Amino acid sequence: MMRPDDLGQVKPGFLADLVLVDGNPLENLALLTEPAKINVVMKDGIIFKDCTMPVPLHAALHLPGGDFPL
């Protein structure tokens, strides 16, 4: 169940739904329909796609101290 205090910020311990694209979707909404332009997809704080990380995602998720590489 979602708690309101888990929402509204991008920081450790908070839920996050993010889509990072190559470009400005406010100027070109079609960017969201081009898979090659979508660099990161995060739902509830879990990364489903990340074309920006130099290491495999499963390895990055197990960083010491629980830090999440954004």
Side-chain angles (χ1 to χ4, degrees):
M1 178 153 233
M2 284 187 6
R3 300 179 314 245
D5 55 335
D6 289 340
L7 305 173
Q9 298 183 46
V10 179
K11 67 182 201 179
F14 282 65
L15 299 174
D17 293 348
L18 303 171
V19 177
L20 280 65
V21 296
D22 184 11
N24 184 346
L26 297 176
E27 294 174 359
N28 181 7
L29 194 56
L31 292 171
L32 299 174
T33 66
E34 300 177 39
K37 296 286 186 180
I38 298 174
N39 295 323
V40 177
V41 176
M42 179 186 288
K43 172 75 173 128
D44 292 333
I46 299 169
I47 295 178
F48 288 90
K49 175 182 178 178
D50 190 344
C51 297
T52 65
M53 296 181 78
V55 297
L57 181 58
H58 68 278
L61 292 176
H62 300 286
L63 294 176
D67 293 333
F68 204 90
L70 290 177

